[in-house]
Amino acid sequence: MGPMGEFDFIRWLRERTPTDPRVLVGPGDDAAVLAATHTPLLVTTDMLMDGVDFRLEDVDPVRVGRKAMGVNLSDLAAMGAKPLAAVVSVALPRSAGTSLAKQLHAGLAEMAAQHDCPIVGGDTNSWDKPLVISVTAFGVPGPQGPILRSGARPGDWLVVTGALGGSILGRHLDVTPRIAEAIELQRNARLHAMIDISDGLAADVHHLVEESGCGLVLDADSIPIHDDARRMNDGRSPLDHALSDGEDFELAFAVSPEDGARLVGVQLLDKCPVARIGRFVAERGLWIQQHGERRPLPPQGWVHRFEENDP
Amino acid sequence: MGPMGEFDFIRWLRERTPTDPRVLVGPGDDAAVLAATHTPLLVTTDMLMDGVDFRLEDVDPVRVGRKAMGVNLSDLAAMGAKPLAAVVSVALPRSAGTSLAKQLHAGLAEMAAQHDCPIVGGDTNSWDKPLVISVTAFGVPGPQGPILRSGARPGDWLVVTGALGGSILGRHLDVTPRIAEAIELQRNARLHAMIDISDGLAADVHHLVEESGCGLVLDADSIPIHDDARRMNDGRSPLDHALSDGEDFELAFAVSPEDGARLVGVQLLDKCPVARIGRFVAERGLWIQQHGERRPLPPQGWVHRFEENDP
């Protein structure tokens, strides 16, 4: 976008930026200015690229905007945080012009508004290459402060929201960041550690194990498998999909057995089921247990993937 | 970068991330956590693309990293702010791999360290397209609070740091963000409005005029012209280059005539000259005055560019 195209677009954006007491200066100056929060500030950033994270020729750009904002808000949810604000940078394919920018903004703004997250600035560029969109989101801690990956203890339960696997059938573009659920969970249980499932359950719980310096045994039969995982029908088992597929954007968290039993028993998040899928142990490592047998689980996912590739 | 490549790179980054009292959680969790600042927070973001903002085949990636951080720090300087932290997202060409990531990081980290700005997180991706690098930087206000574009008043002087034009000869890759100078200026003068010169003097002072709701008369003979502008030798005058070229990353700011006269007379920034180049007027508009004649100046730059294009 040439300078005047960019300035026109900034004007268009400013007209669509609601006032917000948390935002002292919004889009259009050299920097945005946020009001002092008097709490720690959380910052996360995620970049999506056409052809890697979505295919612009197949997808409504509004949905791409929703996803770009949603994956960042999911990272805030994984810290137990509330959104404070976000900024957005884009490299637009020159041929698509301003209409693409406006559609992306519609999706970004819709997702941001659903989670009370003002978009306070950005940078709009164009080039003759595919779309790139980078969002940086800021948050303030929830009632238990930032929930890190490092607080799981031997004996804790691993609990997960929702159901896993097969997001590639479409859900990977329809992120539901578990912001409200993470706040609600903090009102009902002490969360020792948390992560969102973006790279796949096995890979992501591997981070919990590494950062917490303990081990984890997953219970294969307890893992909630999404209907999409059963519909994949590609020779890999639904469980394999639930362990290895990414972009579920559900939360996996460590709680005491007492808190875990109450959460799972009461099912307090009535639109979002929670399930116990494993227990943390003192010995470092990651295992999966099924039919009484315990096997190491590589962070890349289900061991069968490697067996299939063996000669 | 595949998942494990990314995790190895995050480990490499964490080993290179110095501890900082402002950073409670650095790279490697779902979000970084910054300590509470108890002041407004400034946020700016800029994205650079290979083939648009630099040509990776001609330029040391360390220099690209320096520029990507530098342009963001320049935006903080334009608000009179001090850097607090930054995050970096990259889309790396797959063929370049980890060595490019490490070289970029070296440049980013070098520029950030020079201005006391910890890099607290990021997102590392790869694809089969050219390099994209997006930085978001946070700052805290300087002694006079955020200096906006909107505070210039009729009668104010427009003062500029450094010399302008011809940055394309190489300086556009060697950004010197005027962070320290902006702080020093605030100790010696009341800054009414400020901007950094990224799109070109005419375009950027046009923003000051628009946002402040007044007018500005530039004095052509007072504009400090960089030696690079004289060396361009492309048929456009050095003054045209000083008015129209972008990426000088100098500061242009409005001060009272009393403050302006003292700043320019004393030259208190001894490694960085300051010059009075215009005065704000009540009538809205942008003009340039030379040899006693005053002409309108379009924000795109020197009027000769348009005359040259006329049939």
Side-chain angles (χ1 to χ4, degrees):
Chain A
M1 205 174 284
M4 291 318 289
E6 181 179 353
F7 303 145
D8 288 341
F9 183 66
I10 290 171
R11 193 170 305 120
W12 184 90
L13 277 179
R14 286 168 88 167
E15 289 163 4
R16 274 152 194 82
T17 300
T19 59
D20 188 302
R22 295 167 294 181
V23 183
L24 305 182
V25 178
D29 213 301
D30 295 296
V33 185
L34 305 179
T37 59
H38 307 292
T39 67
L41 184 81
L42 293 97
V43 185
T44 187
T45 188
D46 259 305
M47 176 182 272
L48 305 186
M49 297 104 76
D50 182 13
V52 177
D53 301 286
F54 56 88
R55 286 168 56 88
L56 197 57
E57 63 181 19
D58 299 335
V59 179
D60 181 353
V62 175
R63 219 168 156 203
V64 172
R66 285 182 54 87
K67 176 170 183 173
M69 183 60 64
V71 298
N72 279 276
L73 298 182
S74 182
D75 279 326
L76 293 181
M79 302 293 281
K82 295 181 193 178
L84 172 65
V87 295
V88 181
S89 290
V90 289
L92 299 162
R94 211 178 304 275
S95 55
T98 310
S99 73
L100 174 60
K102 291 182 176 178
Q103 289 174 282
L104 289 171
H105 179 262
L108 287 157
E110 181 190 333
M111 177 63 79
Q114 279 171 9
H115 297 279
D116 193 27
C117 181
I119 298 174
V120 299
D123 183 30
T124 307
N125 308 277
S126 62
W127 67 342
D128 58 3
K129 297 287 184 294
L131 173 65
V132 178
I133 180 165
S134 177
V135 174
T136 303
F138 323 103
V140 296
Q144 292 179 15
I147 316 288
L148 307 184
R149 297 175 176 180
S150 53
R153 308 162 198 170
D156 280 354
W157 284 18
L158 179 69
V159 178
V160 69
T161 61
L164 308 178
S167 71
I168 194 70
L169 295 186
R171 278 183 302 122
H172 73 112
L173 289 167
D174 295 315
V175 181
T176 302
R178 297 293 193 189
I179 296 279
E181 290 81 1
I183 300 292
E184 188 68 18
L185 285 169
Q186 289 173 75
R187 295 210 182 95
N188 288 277
R190 181 81 213 167
L191 306 183
H192 296 167
M194 189 152 64
I195 196 167
D196 67 323
I197 301 174
S198 53
D199 294 323
L201 177 65
D204 288 316
V205 297
H206 178 73
H207 293 312
L208 290 180
V209 159
E210 286 253 304
E211 298 297 323
S212 297
C214 58
L216 174 66
V217 183
L218 290 176
D219 177 10
D221 295 331
S222 305
I223 294 170
I225 295 173
H226 198 281
D227 284 344
D228 287 339
R230 303 186 200 282
R231 287 165 48 213
M232 288 292 289
N233 210 2
D234 61 352
R236 291 168 51 206
S237 71
L239 177 61
D240 185 3
H241 282 289
L243 285 166
S244 317
D245 294 356
E247 308 209 285
D248 292 305
F249 299 108
E250 297 292 351
L251 297 173
F253 52 95
V255 287
S256 71
E258 298 72 30
D259 278 354
R262 201 176 58 255
L263 285 177
V264 172
V266 176
Q267 288 292 330
L268 60 97
L269 307 175
D270 69 343
K271 287 182 185 158
C272 174
V274 295
R276 172 197 181 282
I277 63 167
R279 66 179 190 286
F280 288 89
V281 296
E283 188 187 352
R284 293 182 72 147
L286 179 59
W287 297 271
I288 188 159
Q289 183 166 319
Q290 193 171 30
H291 313 313
E293 187 195 356
R294 176 193 292 195
R295 287 184 298 175
L297 180 68
Q300 296 87 342
W302 190 234
V303 65
H304 284 169
R305 293 181 74 176
F306 297 91
E307 291 170 357
E308 283 164 10
N309 289 336
D310 279 349
Chain B
M1 204 174 285
M4 292 317 291
E6 182 179 353
F7 302 145
D8 288 341
F9 183 64
I10 290 171
R11 193 171 305 121
W12 183 90
L13 277 178
R14 286 168 88 168
E15 290 163 2
R16 275 151 194 81
T17 301
T19 60
D20 188 303
R22 296 167 293 181
V23 184
L24 304 181
V25 177
D29 214 302
D30 295 296
V33 184
L34 305 179
T37 58
H38 308 290
T39 67
L41 185 81
L42 293 97
V43 185
T44 187
T45 188
D46 259 304
M47 177 183 271
L48 305 186
M49 297 104 77
D50 182 14
V52 177
D53 301 285
F54 57 87
R55 288 168 54 87
L56 197 56
E57 62 181 19
D58 299 335
V59 179
D60 180 353
V62 174
R63 220 167 154 202
V64 173
R66 285 182 53 87
K67 176 170 183 173
M69 183 60 63
V71 298
N72 279 277
L73 298 182
S74 182
D75 279 326
L76 292 181
M79 302 292 280
K82 294 181 194 177
L84 172 65
V87 295
V88 180
S89 289
V90 290
L92 299 162
R94 212 178 303 275
S95 55
T98 310
S99 73
L100 174 59
K102 291 182 176 178
Q103 287 174 285
L104 289 171
H105 179 263
L108 288 156
E110 182 191 331
M111 178 63 80
Q114 278 172 9
H115 297 280
D116 194 26
C117 180
I119 299 174
V120 299
D123 183 29
T124 307
N125 307 277
S126 63
W127 67 342
D128 58 2
K129 298 287 185 294
L131 174 66
V132 178
I133 179 165
S134 177
V135 174
T136 303
F138 322 101
V140 295
Q144 292 180 15
I147 316 288
L148 307 185
R149 297 175 177 180
S150 53
R153 308 164 197 169
D156 281 354
W157 284 17
L158 179 70
V159 178
V160 68
T161 60
L164 307 178
S167 71
I168 194 70
L169 294 186
R171 279 183 302 123
H172 73 113
L173 289 167
D174 295 314
V175 182
T176 302
R178 296 294 192 187
I179 296 279
E181 290 81 1
I183 299 292
E184 188 68 18
L185 286 169
Q186 288 173 77
R187 295 210 182 95
N188 289 278
R190 182 82 213 167
L191 306 183
H192 296 166
M194 188 153 64
I195 196 167
D196 66 323
I197 302 174
S198 52
D199 294 325
L201 177 64
D204 288 316
V205 297
H206 179 73
H207 294 311
L208 290 181
V209 160
E210 286 253 304
E211 298 297 323
S212 297
C214 59
L216 174 66
V217 182
L218 290 176
D219 176 10
D221 295 332
S222 304
I223 294 171
I225 295 174
H226 199 281
D227 284 344
D228 287 340
R230 304 187 199 281
R231 288 165 47 213
M232 288 293 289
N233 211 1
D234 60 353
R236 290 167 52 205
S237 71
L239 178 61
D240 184 3
H241 282 289
L243 285 166
S244 316
D245 293 356
E247 308 210 285
D248 292 305
F249 300 106
E250 296 293 350
L251 296 174
F253 53 95
V255 287
S256 71
E258 298 72 29
D259 278 354
R262 199 175 60 253
L263 284 177
V264 172
V266 176
Q267 288 292 330
L268 59 97
L269 307 175
D270 68 343
K271 287 181 186 160
C272 174
V274 294
R276 173 196 181 283
I277 62 168
R279 66 178 191 286
F280 288 90
V281 296
E283 187 186 355
R284 294 182 72 147
L286 178 59
W287 297 269
I288 188 159
Q289 183 165 317
Q290 191 171 30
H291 313 313
E293 186 195 356
R294 177 195 290 197
R295 289 184 297 175
L297 181 66
Q300 295 88 342
W302 189 234
V303 64
H304 283 170
R305 294 180 72 176
F306 297 92
E307 292 171 355
E308 282 164 11
N309 290 336
D310 280 350

